[in-house]
Amino acid sequence: MKVVIIKYNAGNIFSVDYALRRLGVEATISGDADIIKSADKVIFPGVGEAETTMNYLREHGLDNVIKNLTQPTLGICIGMQLLCKSSEEGGIVECLGIFDEVVKKFVPNESIIKVPHMGWNTVTADPSSPLFKNLINDPYFYYVHSYHATVGKDTIATTDYINQYSAALHKDNFYAVQFHPEKSGKVGEQLLKNFLEL
Amino acid sequence: MLAKRIIPCLDIKDGQTVKGVNFVNIRSVGDPVELGAEYSRLGADELVFLDITASHEGRKTFKDLVRRIAENISIPFTVGGGIHEIGDVDALLCAGADKVSINSAAIKNPDLISEVAKGFGSQVCTVAIDAKLDESGEWTCYLNGGRVATDKKLFAWAKEAQERGAGEILFTSMNHDGVKQGFANDALRVLSESLSIPVIASGGAGKMEHFKDVFTEGKADAALAASIFHFHEIAIPDLKKYLRDEGIPMRIV
């Protein structure tokens, strides 16, 4: 199985590579359209800012490459947000539009004042989703983010922090998670394994 | 619900853990990777590795170690110690650290916080503050592991660090550190309620009740401890079950 991690101007893509190696998978890290298109599985990870990363994807023609992928593809963190319709980060940034959801900034309320949402939070998932198979109910995953995707028809898991938002999305061959499975211990490993087995 | 975090801290010298750590389940207790993996297995939510090496050679060893930690451990970890400039931060993040903790260098050069936040995002930038409550009732910040007093005061400095882009504050009370009589809950509560970024409490853990108090009275988002974990005075699984039973949101593995 050929797994490609999309290389672009976002940080933290190596920790996904390390996590895959712990599962015995040697992934290719590449920003080359042909290599990405030829993969059996594509992972679109990263930590970064929406406008800067979208501009980079467009300049390098990766926006169309990603939109036209037909193999199982997993967006992680900013990867998930870029697969949504638009993001409030950096104005209103048009994103890849795989999912209809929009990405909004957390607005602190009276009881929760801390943003970013940082740490381990519970994820309530659709039990029939293959991405969440063999996991306990409401597992804890590790999050670091200040923006979140709204809840809609493609939502397969939610988390509550200030408001309820999409912890995971799924449409056709596209899967996406807001949390970091590569940093979420055993449950994160199981989720990555589930994705690799799709 | 967002869980409160329990964070063991490991001191590293020349690539090895210091303090006579004694663990039965692991082959080499001196190896930070093995010890970190064991803490991860026991349910630690994050790990902090502090490099206390003075030599240039030791620094290189630490960077290699950070890479091995990133390869082998599947929970987030912060590294600190010996960070003077943005290049040090870049090297440690490239080696695979999730966050860096900046202490003396941030006080000497507050612009470093802004540079790190702008270059890599606030989420990687933990500002560590060592402070002592003096006789006049003020919390004074110290440099160089608590050896040199500064003119910075805890609450104002923490606020400034936040405004400059810190993603988290790690506050160690020098009055409470090593005494094992509980955390500096009054100061922690003021910090936590006045900041919009998470606060990690450090210094004073002696028994399980102290952790309950630091989360309820001190309003801390996370609690860090070293020796009580290293010397098995408190086992992390027992601590987390106790805290969960006390109604504190905890991730149990």
Side-chain angles (χ1 to χ4, degrees), chain A residues 34-164:
Chain A
D34 292 331
I35 293 174
I36 296 169
K37 283 190 252 181
S38 71
D40 299 307
K41 298 270 159 52
V42 176
I43 299 184
F44 181 33
V47 172
E49 194 263 335
E51 191 178 18
T52 322
T53 46
M54 261 321 292
N55 286 341
Y56 180 97
L57 294 179
R58 285 200 192 95
E59 280 160 24
H60 292 77
L62 287 171
D63 53 339
N64 285 322
V65 172
I66 295 168
K67 277 198 261 190
N68 292 318
L69 290 172
T70 52
Q71 58 275 67
T73 298
L74 177 66
I76 298 174
C77 193
I78 188 73
M80 165 166 168
Q81 297 183 0
L82 296 177
L83 291 171
C84 291
K85 196 160 75 183
S86 66
S87 171
E88 281 183 2
E89 191 176 15
I92 296 288
V93 180
E94 192 193 334
C95 297
L96 297 167
I98 299 294
F99 304 113
D100 279 338
E101 302 319 317
V102 295
V103 175
K104 297 185 164 186
K105 193 171 175 51
F106 280 123
V107 180
N109 63 20
E110 272 172 25
S111 55
I112 301 178
I113 59 165
K114 308 267 166 128
V115 176
H117 174 214
M118 183 181 322
W120 298 79
N121 208 332
T122 47
V123 171
T124 306
D126 172 358
S128 68
S129 169
L131 198 60
F132 288 91
K133 74 176 184 192
N134 297 327
L135 286 169
I136 53 163
N137 285 338
D138 297 346
Y140 276 98
F141 281 93
Y142 186 76
Y143 280 104
V144 184
H145 60 130
S146 299
Y147 292 78
H148 63 279
T150 51
V151 176
K153 64 176 172 25
D154 300 327
T155 302
I156 53 167
T158 59
T159 287
D160 277 305
Y161 188 74
I162 300 180
N163 47 264
Q164 193 183 54

Side-chain angles (χ1 to χ4, degrees), chain B residues 5 9 16 18-19 27 44 49-50 52 54 59 83 107 123-124 126 132 145 149 154-155 194 213 229 231-232 235:
Chain B
R5 289 171 278 156
C9 177
Q16 296 282 303
V18 293
K19 295 184 179 171
R27 291 188 304 265
F49 296 88
L50 280 185
I52 58 165
R59 291 255 178 276
I83 294 171
I107 291 190
Q123 80 284 347
V124 309
T126 300
K132 191 152 112 185
L154 170 65
F155 302 116
S194 63
D213 296 343
F229 296 140
F231 296 116
H232 312 280

